[in-house]
């Protein structure tokens, strides 16, 4: 099959197809729960929750696969919704501190069980060794496209 990769529309087509299915499942579940959010917003909301009292905008930018401007827009959207607050750290006026508001915590409490269930669904009927191999292969493919790799 590898020797036919161009004939079958390349691996990007297959990765994109699976990613779209996953995204659609999350959005459908959020809609069922009555939560108006994007996947990017939910991921950042969850990251802020995980980082706790030390959540900074810089940390979120560094941990995301989006550029600084896009991440800043998503954070601003969460702030407009009243799900997070953005202040400065005490003694460090350069960094923005991000915190969940009570409404943001409520949204996370409502959506997190479904998000975790969807994560489990992704690996349903997949053996641990198969998933490990899948991740190794993805890492190798990604490494082939690192900027410092010869083309």
């Amino acid at each position: 099959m590898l020797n036919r990769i161009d004939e079958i529309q390349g691996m990007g087509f297959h990765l994109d197809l699976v990613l779209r299915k996953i995204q659609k499942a999350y959005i459908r579940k959020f809609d069922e729960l009555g939560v108006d959010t994007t996947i990017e917003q939910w991921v950042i909301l969850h990251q802020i929750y995980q980082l706790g009292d030390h959540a900074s905008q810089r940390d979120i930018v560094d941990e995301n696969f989006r550029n600084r401007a896009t991440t800043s827009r998503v954070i601003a959207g969460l702030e407009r919704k009243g799900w997070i607050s953005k202040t400065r750290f005490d003694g460090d006026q350069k960094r923005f501190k991000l915190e969940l508001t009570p409404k943001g915590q409520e949204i996370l409490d409502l959506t997190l069980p479904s998000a975790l269930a969807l994560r489990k669904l992704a690996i349903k009927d997949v053996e641990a060794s198969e998933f490990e191999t899948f991740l190794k292969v993805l890492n190798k493919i990604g490494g082939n496209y690192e900027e410092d790799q010869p083309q």
Side-chain angles (χ1 to χ4, degrees):
M1 186 178 238
L2 274 178
N3 61 345
R4 295 185 48 230
I5 199 73
D6 288 331
E7 295 173 35
I8 55 175
Q9 300 177 319
M11 73 183 88
F13 174 80
H14 298 285
L15 291 171
D16 190 52
L17 181 66
V18 172
L19 180 61
R20 288 177 191 270
K21 286 180 180 183
I22 293 167
Q23 290 173 332
K24 194 174 186 179
Y26 276 81
I27 293 300
R28 185 173 44 247
K29 182 50 75 175
F30 294 154
D31 286 346
E32 287 172 13
L33 295 170
V35 176
D36 178 26
T37 191
T38 65
I39 292 168
E40 289 84 2
Q41 287 175 332
W42 190 88
V43 166
I44 289 175
L45 192 72
H46 187 248
Q47 285 176 320
I48 293 168
Y49 166 76
Q50 287 182 310
L51 290 169
D53 292 339
H54 304 288
S56 74
Q57 187 161 342
R58 184 180 305 150
D59 293 335
I60 300 297
V61 167
D62 291 345
E63 290 183 19
N64 259 316
F65 300 106
R66 304 274 191 247
N67 64 38
R68 181 181 306 256
T70 300
T71 303
S72 294
R73 279 193 298 275
V74 173
I75 288 170
L78 290 169
E79 200 175 9
R80 277 192 304 276
K81 287 182 173 189
W83 295 0
I84 66 167
S85 64
K86 181 174 155 181
T87 58
R88 298 281 185 179
F89 280 95
D90 289 336
D92 185 353
Q93 294 302 304
K94 291 184 179 182
R95 294 185 331 145
F96 284 108
K97 181 177 185 176
L98 304 176
E99 296 177 287
L100 296 181
T101 62
K103 179 66 177 168
Q105 185 64 55
E106 181 183 318
I107 294 296
L108 197 65
D109 290 344
L110 177 65
T111 56
L112 187 57
S114 296
L116 294 175
L118 285 168
R119 285 182 184 174
K120 284 185 180 179
L121 177 63
I123 57 171
K124 177 182 155 206
D125 300 329
V126 176
E127 297 294 325
S129 62
E130 290 175 309
F131 190 68
E132 202 165 307
T133 299
F134 169 72
L135 292 178
K136 282 181 184 177
V137 170
L138 280 179
N139 283 333
K140 282 184 180 183
I141 292 169
N144 291 339
Y145 290 94
E146 291 293 327
E147 290 182 17
D148 60 345
Q149 288 289 337
Q151 300 297 318

